[in-house]
Amino acid sequence: MLSALARPAGAALRRSFSTSAQKNAKVAVLGASGGIGQPLSLLLKNSPLVSRLTLYDIAHTPGVAADLSHIETRATVKGYLGPEQLPDCLKGCDVVVIPAGVPRKPGMTRDDLFNTNATIVATLTAACAQHCPEAMICIIANPVNSTIPITAEVFKKHGVYNPNKIFGVTTLDIVRANTFVAELKGLDPARVSVPVIGGHAGKTIIPLISQCTPKVDFPQDQLTTLTGRIQEAGTEVVKAKAGAGSATLSMAYAGARFVFSLLDAMNGKEGVVECSFVKSQETDCTYFSTPLLLGKKGIEKNLGIGKISSFEEKMIAEAIPELKASIKKGEDFVKNMK
């Protein structure tokens, strides 16, 4: 049932380059000068769904904004520099995307980023809670398994928490799963759709190959290898970049795909489904990624886990303790903040 609802991967991004849907979304990118922020901002500028693009960072945003502003698409672009300009960047925004933070280097886990990125996310989301409390908040900054609980706790502190509007962007796991399955089966990746549930780090990433559309079968050894590759694909890029950063271009694509799906749903398009790490009652974990039906006000319905294989059940059981610990770490960080 889920797979039937899910659109072919990447359809939203490809559609974004057409000119049919003239809508007026105001989108902010926080961390817009970085490795993800720049290509993400480019993709957003290219979309007819976006009418105003505001770019924030602690360096280089006037230049990035000037550069993007010359592109022949309708979105107006403005750059904001430093904390004193952040409120103006956020005012009136419909969607805020946060790729800010430091990237992984070889040998680092996503959790090693925790202290630096937790502070950055807490600061930026506090500004969102104050200046655009109704906006959809899309968090890319890792570790997502902790930065989403941080965002939720910050919004609670400000009395403006709405669990249907806070999203951990796990879309890159889905994009990778679609690509790798397509490669192995000789399919067009744009026609493959694999739900990926759980979290967004290592073994908490749980690809539901049993729910793939079109239906695919792998022998167990190949399935184990494929699953491991999807789970460690980020590390594959970190190693290949040899100290020069982590996945930025594919992450920008995935971030844009999620934002376009969200904007489509906010504009009244029906049947828009994306997986995302959100507040959840699907498992013992208070946050968990599953396919979500998106609507005008964010999450319309959590579509849940659905029917899964025993191999996938085992992966969920193994992921839950790590997920719970990452969630608690994020919540405790906000509790202990000065």
Side-chain angles (χ1 to χ4, degrees):
M1 149 88 172
L2 296 184
S3 316
L5 271 172
R7 287 175 295 85
L13 192 49
R14 282 190 301 279
R15 190 174 55 256
S16 75
F17 296 107
S18 80
T19 51
S20 55
Q22 296 287 321
K23 301 293 181 182
N24 294 307
K26 295 167 182 169
V27 180
V29 179
L30 310 186
S33 302
I36 298 166
Q38 289 202 40
L40 173 60
S41 299
L42 173 63
L43 292 169
L44 294 171
K45 169 66 174 131
N46 227 350
S47 170
L49 295 169
V50 179
S51 64
R52 188 187 82 183
L53 188 59
T54 56
L55 310 180
Y56 173 80
D57 214 318
I58 54 170
H60 311 306
T61 29
V64 174
D67 195 353
L68 286 175
S69 73
H70 294 179
I71 292 172
E72 55 184 355
T73 54
R74 62 193 286 261
T76 59
V77 186
K78 189 165 181 200
Y80 296 84
L81 192 63
E84 60 289 341
Q85 292 187 12
L86 181 55
D88 285 338
C89 176
L90 295 171
K91 277 174 190 146
C93 281
D94 302 303
V95 177
V96 180
V97 198
I98 307 185
V102 294
R104 280 201 291 162
K105 296 275 193 327
M108 287 174 87
T109 65
R110 286 184 181 86
D111 208 46
D112 291 335
L113 307 172
F114 182 85
N115 287 332
T116 305
N117 287 1
T119 305
I120 293 169
V121 169
T123 305
L124 294 175
T125 54
C128 294
Q130 289 168 282
H131 302 290
C132 56
E134 295 293 308
M136 307 288 176
I137 310 295
C138 306
I139 306 287
I140 291 171
N142 272 317
V144 165
N145 293 355
S146 300
T147 55
I148 282 297
I150 286 170
T151 303
E153 293 304 310
V154 166
F155 269 69
K156 284 176 194 172
K157 269 192 171 176
H158 287 85
V160 291
Y161 176 57
N162 180 346
N164 295 324
K165 293 188 170 186
I166 295 174
F167 301 92
V169 181
T170 61
T171 315
L172 184 51
D173 299 324
I174 290 90
V175 167
R176 286 166 167 158
N178 294 342
T179 302
F180 301 164
V181 166
E183 280 172 3
L184 290 171
K185 293 293 185 187
L187 298 165
D188 173 0
R191 297 276 156 254
V192 176
S193 184
V194 181
V196 181
I197 65 166
H200 184 58
K203 68 179 182 193
T204 71
I205 298 167
I206 303 162
L208 301 182
I209 308 289
S210 73
Q211 292 184 15
C212 178
T213 48
K215 189 166 170 34
V216 291
D217 285 305
F218 295 99
Q220 188 56 51
D221 59 336
Q222 199 178 14
L223 183 62
T224 304
T225 305
L226 169 63
T227 299
R229 187 181 177 207
I230 294 163
Q231 291 174 330
E232 293 305 321
T235 305
E236 192 179 301
V237 176
V238 169
K239 283 181 180 167
K241 288 197 175 181
S246 56
T248 52
L249 301 170
S250 53
M251 184 60 247
Y253 167 90
R257 172 180 151 172
F258 185 80
V259 171
F260 297 146
S261 289
L262 195 51
L263 291 174
D264 274 342
M266 289 164 74
N267 288 334
K269 184 173 181 190
E270 293 187 0
V272 179
V273 175
E274 289 283 359
C275 295
S276 180
F277 188 67
V278 297
K279 189 84 175 79
S280 175
Q281 295 166 338
E282 300 302 315
T283 65
D284 285 352
C285 290
T286 47
Y287 297 86
F288 201 83
S289 180
T290 43
L292 309 169
L293 179 64
L294 301 175
K296 290 187 175 179
K297 296 182 173 146
I299 301 171
E300 195 157 295
K301 188 180 183 203
N302 193 318
L303 299 175
I305 294 168
K307 186 170 177 288
I308 58 172
S309 69
S310 57
F311 175 64
E312 291 159 354
E313 270 174 27
K314 187 163 168 277
M315 284 196 286
I316 293 175
E318 287 172 1
I320 282 179
E322 182 183 324
L323 260 179
K324 282 183 172 172
S326 298
I327 291 164
K328 184 175 188 303
K329 191 172 181 178
E331 290 173 341
D332 288 348
F333 179 82
V334 179
K335 285 194 183 90
N336 299 328
M337 261 173 30
K338 297 290 170 274

